[in-house]
Amino acid sequence: MTSKKITLAQAADALHLKVLCGSEKLTRGIGGGYTSDLLSDVIAHAKKDDIWITLQIHSNIVAVAVLKEIAGVIFVNGREPDDETVKKAQDEGIPLLTSTLTAYELSGKLYELGIHGQR
Amino acid sequence: MASQKDTFQQKFKIKGGDFIKAGESSCEIRNILKGIGIDAEIIRRVAIAAYEAEMNVVMYAQHGTIHFTVNPQEIGIIVEDRGQGIVDIERAMQPGYSTATEEMREMGFGAGMGLPNIKKNSDTFTITSKVGKGTKLEIVIKLNNTK
Ligand SMILES: Nc1ncnc2c1ncn2[C@@H]1O[C@H](COP(=O)(O)OP(=O)(O)O)[C@@H](O)[C@H]1O
Ligand SMILES: [Mg+2]
């Protein structure tokens, strides 16, 4: 049995996430989630359509998200990247969102919404 | 060996220390492979290997090049840099070994998984290095078998 995938827009609504860019891409279904701040770990283990939860806000995360076909990146602890990173993500079609929650809390809440690791 | 006309090739330049542009060559390589309809699992492996190799040039060298080739049999990624080189390659290949600076670690680099992951995702992988001169990685990912 497959249930309908939750979208980023629904998750953003439910968890009061602030959308920094890519608002036109929020209807994309989320396949799963991956929480990590180590880029080698994310590049090796995140999956296509995953949502990526991290506190890294520098511009290299956009390249990683593009390479992994990540559905969107959610920054935790209220962190926000600089304008250059946001612009880069916008150009590459990667939604960036931010949450005031910690990585643990946000991951738990996303899991409760039905977004699982699917591993 | 494939004839010249069957071979697509492109060169990319990488600048050491440029963390803003870092990863762009790997993204372009991925786009090219997607554009010619290469299998998603193969692209996944190329993306991991290319990204890790590119980041190592950014982190540990002054500058470098990626020579990317595709022929009907295989994808080749040769990454050559001018930089500090590697004193002990066997040690550098160990998972978890890293000489990344504190600043790089704060950015999420320096897990010491780059070289092991390149090897894991390649069909053939060779690394040669001269201390004080530079490092060369030769990565081949075959198109006709999935690893
Ligand atoms: N191109 C390179 N030039 C010089 N040293 C390198 C290069 N690539 C890797 N190294 C050395 O090998 C170590 C391990 O590399 P890697 O497995 O990619 O892990 P990390 O980059 O996370 O440190 C690095 O910390 C560095 O000392
Ligand atoms: Mg590395």
Side-chain angles (χ1 to χ4, degrees), chain B residues 2-3 21 26 34 36 63 66 78 84 91 93 110 115:
Chain B
S3 68
K21 285 222 162 78
S26 305
K34 257 201 125 169
I36 55 177
H63 55 89
I66 302 179
I78 297 174
Q84 62 196 47
R91 195 162 178 216
M93 290 300 303
L115 293 175

Side-chain angles (χ1 to χ4, degrees), chain A residues 37 39-40 56 58 60 88, chain B residues 20 22 51-52 106-109:
Chain A
D37 302 321
L39 301 181
S40 284
Q56 297 297 353
H58 57 80
N60 195 249
K88 196 168 171 183
Chain B
I20 307 270
Y51 174 78
E52 291 289 4
E106 268 168 28
M107 291 171 80
F109 301 110

Side-chain angles (χ1 to χ4, degrees), chain B residues 12-120:
Chain B
F12 300 90
K13 282 198 170 133
I14 315 163
K15 223 177 117 205
D18 187 350
F19 283 89
I20 307 270
K21 285 222 162 78
E24 284 184 4
S25 303
S26 305
C27 288
E28 247 183 87
I29 286 172
R30 170 192 162 271
N31 288 344
I32 291 164
L33 294 177
K34 257 201 125 169
I36 55 177
I38 299 292
D39 173 69
E41 172 57 19
I42 300 273
I43 296 180
R44 190 187 70 80
R45 289 167 51 205
V46 171
I48 296 170
Y51 174 78
E52 291 289 4
E54 183 177 359
M55 288 317 303
N56 280 352
V57 176
V58 172
M59 290 196 282
Y60 309 113
Q62 277 83 54
H63 55 89
T65 55
I66 302 179
H67 190 188
F68 167 62
T69 56
V70 188
N71 69 37
Q73 287 79 43
E74 60 193 31
I75 295 163
I77 301 161
I78 297 174
V79 185
E80 236 173 319
D81 70 51
R82 298 268 170 127
Q84 62 196 47
I86 302 174
V87 179
D88 184 345
I89 290 179
E90 206 180 311
R91 195 162 178 216
M93 290 300 303
Q94 301 271 310
Y97 175 79
S98 176
T99 60
T101 62
E102 194 50 46
E103 202 184 352
M104 292 171 187
R105 285 172 202 264
E106 268 168 28
M107 291 171 80
F109 301 110
M113 289 311 299
L115 293 175
N117 280 342
I118 295 170
K119 188 173 181 199
K120 193 172 144 198

Side-chain angles (χ1 to χ4, degrees), chain A residues 74-90:
Chain A
I74 311 180
F75 306 110
V76 293
N77 298 1
R79 286 164 68 96
E80 288 191 25
D82 58 22
D83 294 346
E84 199 175 350
T85 301
V86 175
K87 189 185 172 297
K88 196 168 171 183
Q90 178 71 44

